Amino acid sequence: MVEILGVLVSLDIFQEMFCCDLSQCHGICCVEGDAGAPVDMEEVEYLEESLDVVWEDLNAAAQAEIDKNGVVYPDIDGDLVTSIVRGKDCVFVKYADLDGAPNCALCAIDSAFRAGKFHWQKPISCALYPIRVKMIGGAPALNYHKWDVCKPARELGRKLHLPLYQFLKEPLIRRFGQEWYDECCKVAEELKKAGYL
């Protein structure tokens, strides 16, 4: 790992090539897994506020889950995560055809944001995926979560020669700021010169 302005960053973030390919994966990261997306208390407020905008985009099972248990629940570690349906699907998933890819799982909140209907995009843990942020000794640590379902993203990333930290430029800036991201790019150049990349 390297330290960038108080943030610990795994070398995988620089070394892994990655670019989401919805035409191949159909948004499976939103509907697979054993827990919802990690969120903080401020994000819970935004999730609840978004319901007025996205409710009609959610399927009946998701609406029932939200009515019964709310938008979040504590996972096995006690961390807040988005509520899920049938033990896997995020309640904020909507299905739509996208760029020739039928029946893609999309975030209803993100879709509303992109359409100018809501002021907040989606939980930062979703925007940063496949980077996961964990606290280590009071400092955020960024790790790459390698998952089989993201194989098409790795293949497209290699084809485009797009490192993960560049693919996730916008959410990294959203979470850590422009100054941090600029320093991240400098570190990447140093790692390249040193033969790590």
Side-chain angles (χ1 to χ4, degrees):
M1 292 193 109
V2 294
E3 187 267 331
I4 303 173
L5 301 180
V7 179
L8 301 173
V9 183
S10 167
L11 290 182
D12 290 342
I13 307 301
F14 301 101
Q15 295 168 334
E16 190 67 54
M17 299 295 150
F18 197 96
C19 184
C20 286
D21 189 352
L22 286 174
S23 69
Q24 297 298 311
C25 73
H26 300 271
I28 197 168
C29 62
C30 295
V31 296
E32 287 294 334
D34 54 8
V39 295
D40 62 30
M41 286 306 296
E42 181 181 358
E43 290 179 317
V44 173
E45 292 179 29
Y46 292 138
L47 293 174
E48 291 173 344
E49 186 182 340
S50 77
L51 292 176
D52 289 339
V53 178
V54 303
W55 189 256
E56 295 303 317
D57 289 332
L58 308 181
N59 65 46
Q63 292 173 345
E65 178 63 29
I66 292 168
D67 282 340
K68 183 178 178 183
N69 297 310
V71 295
V72 296
Y73 72 97
D75 69 6
I76 195 167
D77 297 320
D79 298 323
L80 288 178
V81 294
T82 57
S83 292
I84 54 178
V85 179
R86 295 181 295 277
K88 58 180 189 171
D89 300 26
C90 176
V91 292
F92 288 99
V93 164
K94 76 172 198 173
Y95 290 91
D97 295 345
L98 183 68
D99 298 329
N103 206 30
C104 281
L106 304 174
C107 175
I109 302 169
D110 184 64
S111 295
F113 174 82
R114 291 175 190 274
K117 297 177 181 177
F118 195 60
H119 62 88
W120 181 71
Q121 192 167 6
K122 60 184 169 183
I124 192 64
S125 68
C126 299
L128 282 173
Y129 193 79
I131 291 178
R132 285 293 187 217
V133 181
K134 290 284 187 184
M135 298 304 289
I136 297 178
L142 309 186
N143 286 291
Y144 167 59
H145 178 239
K146 189 171 185 176
W147 195 11
D148 289 344
V149 300
C150 291
K151 182 180 177 185
R154 290 189 293 275
E155 291 172 352
L156 182 57
R158 284 192 292 272
K159 181 179 177 183
L160 300 173
H161 196 70
L162 184 63
L164 183 55
Y165 78 94
Q166 289 180 358
F167 172 68
L168 292 176
K169 176 181 178 178
E170 289 182 19
L172 284 168
I173 291 171
R174 175 180 157 198
R175 174 63 173 83
F176 299 104
Q178 184 68 54
E179 180 185 358
W180 182 90
Y181 187 78
D182 291 344
E183 190 63 28
C184 180
C185 293
K186 290 177 187 174
V187 169
E189 285 303 311
E190 291 168 8
L191 290 169
K192 192 172 186 179
K193 287 177 187 174
Y196 289 101
L197 305 182

